[in-house]
C-alpha cells in the first residue's frame, strides 16, 4: 500500500531524474485508474503544472497522431505501449521531433 508521501516521493524522483518541467506535454495512454497512469497522467502534471494528453482507447495509429499533433515531449507507459509506438512510427513514417523522453 502506498501512502500519499510515498507517491509524492516517486513523483519528485521521477520528475527530477527525467528533468521534467512545467513546459512538458505528457502523453499518457495508460488508464488513470492504473497506478502508472495516475502517477504519470495526474500527479506529475499537477505537481509540475505541465500539460497531460490522455488517450481514451489504445489504438497505436491514433496514439502517434496525437503525440505528433499535441507535440508531446514525454510519455511514460508500459512496454507494450512503447513497442506499439515504435512499430507505428516505423510503419507510418510519422516523426515525433518534440518527444525527448520515453
Amino acid at each position: 500500500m502506498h501512502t500519499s508521501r510515498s507517491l509524492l516521493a516517486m513523483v519528485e524522483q521521477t520528475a527530477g531524474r527525467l528533468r521534467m518541467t512545467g513546459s512538458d506535454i505528457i502523453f499518457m495512454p495508460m488508464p488513470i485508474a492504473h497506478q502508472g497512469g495516475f502517477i504519470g497522467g495526474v500527479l506529475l502534471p499537477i505537481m509540475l503544472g505541465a500539460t497531460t494528453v490522455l488517450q481514451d482507447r489504445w489504438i497505436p495509429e491514433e496514439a502517434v497522431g496525437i503525440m505528433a499533433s499535441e507535440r508531446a515531449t514525454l510519455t511514460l507507459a508500459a512496454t507494450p505501449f512503447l513497442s506499439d509506438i515504435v512499430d507505428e512510427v516505423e510503419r507510418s513514417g510519422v516523426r515525433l521531433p518534440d518527444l525527448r523522453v520515453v
Side-chain angles (χ1 to χ4, degrees):
M1 297 287 295
H2 282 284
T3 65
S4 295
R5 185 64 203 135
S6 69
L7 290 173
L8 288 175
M10 182 183 301
V11 167
E12 290 168 353
Q13 291 172 14
T14 300
R17 177 72 175 114
L18 299 179
R19 297 185 180 147
M20 297 174 71
T21 70
S23 63
D24 276 310
I25 300 169
I26 303 166
F27 174 70
M28 180 47 62
M30 296 191 308
I32 59 174
H34 182 280
Q35 182 174 336
F38 180 68
I39 290 169
V42 178
L43 292 182
L44 271 167
I46 287 173
M47 184 186 102
L48 297 169
T51 299
T52 301
V53 178
L54 302 174
Q55 185 175 8
D56 185 41
R57 281 181 45 221
W58 180 242
I59 300 170
E61 299 83 2
E62 289 181 14
V64 170
I66 292 167
M67 292 171 76
S69 67
E70 296 293 332
R71 301 186 68 184
T73 59
L74 189 140
T75 187
L76 303 169
T79 305
F81 292 94
L82 302 177
S83 177
D84 285 352
I85 289 169
V86 169
D87 290 346
E88 180 56 24
V89 165
E90 289 178 350
R91 186 197 68 74
S92 70
V94 171
R95 296 293 167 238
L96 303 171
D98 300 294
L99 190 66
R100 63 177 188 80
V101 175
V102 176

